[in-house]
Structures are given as structure tokens and as C-alpha cells.
Amino acid sequence: MNALSNPPVLIPLFDSSETLKMRTFQTVRCPNCGSLAERDHLLAAQHIRTQCETCDYLMITCSQTGRVVEAYAPGIPSRR
């Protein structure tokens, strides 16, 4: 079975105030290096975080607007 065909998994999380937060995660291909990466859907914060441990890629976007909140991608030149 292909690792990318797995459906998102719901995980209940508790923060310091012990309120329940839900998040889903799925395995995707890293857009930077092509290795397996993890995509977290942080429902309470309305963010989507994609990160790759192989190349240290990180992209956090707003799930409502698609705007980039934070990004780090070594090896990809920045626009100037």
C-alpha cells in the first residue's frame, strides 16, 4: 500500500488549559525535496503546517485564506 494513500488521522490534543483541540495529519511529498513529509491540519488555530525532517522544509498557511503565515525552505532562493 502506498504511504500517500492513507487518510488523515484525527488526534485529540490537550493544551495547558486542558481544553480539547483536534488536529489531523497526513503523509505527503515534500515540495522541496520529494521525501515523505507530514502535513498537520491544526483546526483550532486554522493553520496547515507542512514540514519535512529530511530537508528542514516548513510551511504554515492559513486554512481559510491560503496565505503564508511562516515559511522556511533551505535550498530555495528567496525573491528580492
Side-chain angles (χ1 to χ4, degrees), residues 13-29:
L13 297 176
F14 292 91
D15 65 7
S16 58
S17 65
E18 295 301 317
T19 58
L20 181 65
K21 295 181 179 180
M22 295 302 289
R23 91 179 209 197
T24 62
F25 73 93
Q26 58 192 140
T27 302
V28 296
R29 289 284 177 186

Side-chain angles (χ1 to χ4, degrees), residues 5-80:
S5 65
N6 294 336
V9 177
L10 284 173
I11 300 175
L13 297 176
F14 292 91
D15 65 7
S16 58
S17 65
E18 295 301 317
T19 58
L20 181 65
K21 295 181 179 180
M22 295 302 289
R23 91 179 209 197
T24 62
F25 73 93
Q26 58 192 140
T27 302
V28 296
R29 289 284 177 186
C30 173
N32 189 33
C33 72
S35 298
L36 292 180
E38 186 175 275
R39 180 169 290 153
D40 293 314
H41 297 264
L42 307 165
L43 303 179
Q46 296 182 343
H47 288 162
I48 299 171
R49 178 178 58 208
T50 304
Q51 58 187 7
C52 175
E53 291 185 17
T54 303
C55 70
D56 201 26
Y57 174 87
L58 172 70
M59 176 75 72
I60 300 174
T61 57
C62 175
S63 64
Q64 299 296 310
T65 64
R67 291 186 176 191
V68 175
V69 176
E70 184 176 348
Y72 177 72
I76 297 178
S78 62
R79 290 183 175 167
R80 293 186 190 242

